[in-house]
Amino acid sequence: PGNRDMPWRKKWQYQSVLDDVENFESPKRELEQHLTPAEISANWMWDAEERCGDIVGKTVLDLGCGTGMLGLAAAVLGASHVIGVDIDPDALEIALENRNTLEESLEEPLPIDFIQADVNSVKGILQALPSNPGAGEPSVGFGVERCGVVDVVLTNPPWGNWKQDKTQKALKGKSKTKKSSKKNDVLALLGSRTNNEGEDWRFVEIGLALATRAVWSLHGLEAYETICKKAQGLGLDCSQGATKIKFELPQLKSFHKQGAEVDAVLLRHARR
């Protein structure tokens, strides 16, 4: 059961704060960047607390945080400390602006820090953070000697929809020009990766190595059976938080005129 001492009595009041979180200015298709809408984020965090007690007073990691929506939602709801991690410095710049906006709106500081890192290096980075940092330094705010690093991991990972096209492959071998420098910057973030197949499960799997309590993840409905089968193979139960929702994906390919509303599923992975 959830903690009944949540700082918010009405969900709509809580969601109205999250409505101020800004989206990506120029979403990078290669990173499948899309903001988790305020309504979905508010329902997600609220239900995670009400049903499982996973947010209030917990240490939370937003893995692949983008502009910070899920991490900020957890912090606003009452998490004791939140860390948002993303590979993209442009997204993190907006995340910091979003934190400042919400702090001004709420007239109080939020317990959330943002770190630029690839998901593969997250655990080492978090374990190296000081428990009692100096002013302006990020802190884990809890002992890292435990098996995991945080109580709960939240992630809306890449869904595996992006594949590198011929133009992008050609750019990898060229030096930067004014016209191609931004594209090359994106490809540099991806390293040798040429598609996002399996990225959704990679985020979950890394989250499982970091969380002592549970991992919450959002996926396209078509990935539901695959993700659950992999989770069950590790002795996990992903049925407790399973919730089907409608999710609007942005334009992911150059020939798409607009995004599309798709069926998605929210999962909670925890030991049986």
Side-chain angles (χ1 to χ4, degrees), residues 43-180:
N43 287 334
W44 180 347
M45 297 304 108
W46 195 276
D47 289 348
E49 177 56 31
E50 284 279 291
R51 295 163 60 182
C52 306
D54 279 346
I55 304 298
V56 176
K58 302 299 187 295
T59 52
V60 176
L61 173 66
D62 181 359
L63 196 56
C65 65
T67 61
M69 174 62 88
L70 295 179
L72 288 166
V76 170
L77 191 62
S80 64
H81 196 91
V82 181
I83 295 180
V85 175
D86 202 278
I87 195 173
D88 182 16
D90 295 332
L92 292 176
E93 186 175 337
I94 299 173
L96 288 170
E97 293 173 359
N98 283 330
R99 181 183 67 182
N100 294 339
T101 297
L102 297 196
E103 287 180 337
E104 289 178 10
S105 174
L106 296 168
E107 297 183 342
E108 62 180 11
L110 289 172
I112 181 169
D113 295 299
F114 294 101
I115 298 173
Q116 183 187 359
D118 181 82
V119 293
N120 289 314
S121 59
V122 169
K123 187 168 185 177
I125 290 173
L126 295 186
Q127 288 178 323
L129 290 178
S131 295
N132 298 297
E137 292 181 335
S139 164
V140 289
F142 48 91
V144 297
E145 68 277 0
R146 298 178 305 179
C147 178
V149 181
V150 294
D151 294 316
V152 175
V153 170
L154 309 171
T155 184
N156 178 3
W159 288 8
N161 294 324
W162 173 78
K163 176 181 284 189
Q164 193 177 89
D165 60 29
K166 293 180 180 179
T167 302
Q168 292 167 324
K169 287 179 181 178
L171 279 172
K172 270 200 170 183
K174 293 183 178 180
S175 60
K176 290 186 179 182
T177 64
K178 288 183 179 180
K179 200 170 185 180
S180 66

Side-chain angles (χ1 to χ4, degrees), residues 155 200-208 215 217 219 227 269:
T155 184
D200 50 358
W201 174 249
R202 184 167 74 101
F203 273 63
V204 172
E205 196 168 30
I206 290 171
L208 291 169
V215 174
S217 59
H219 307 273
I227 295 294
H269 310 269

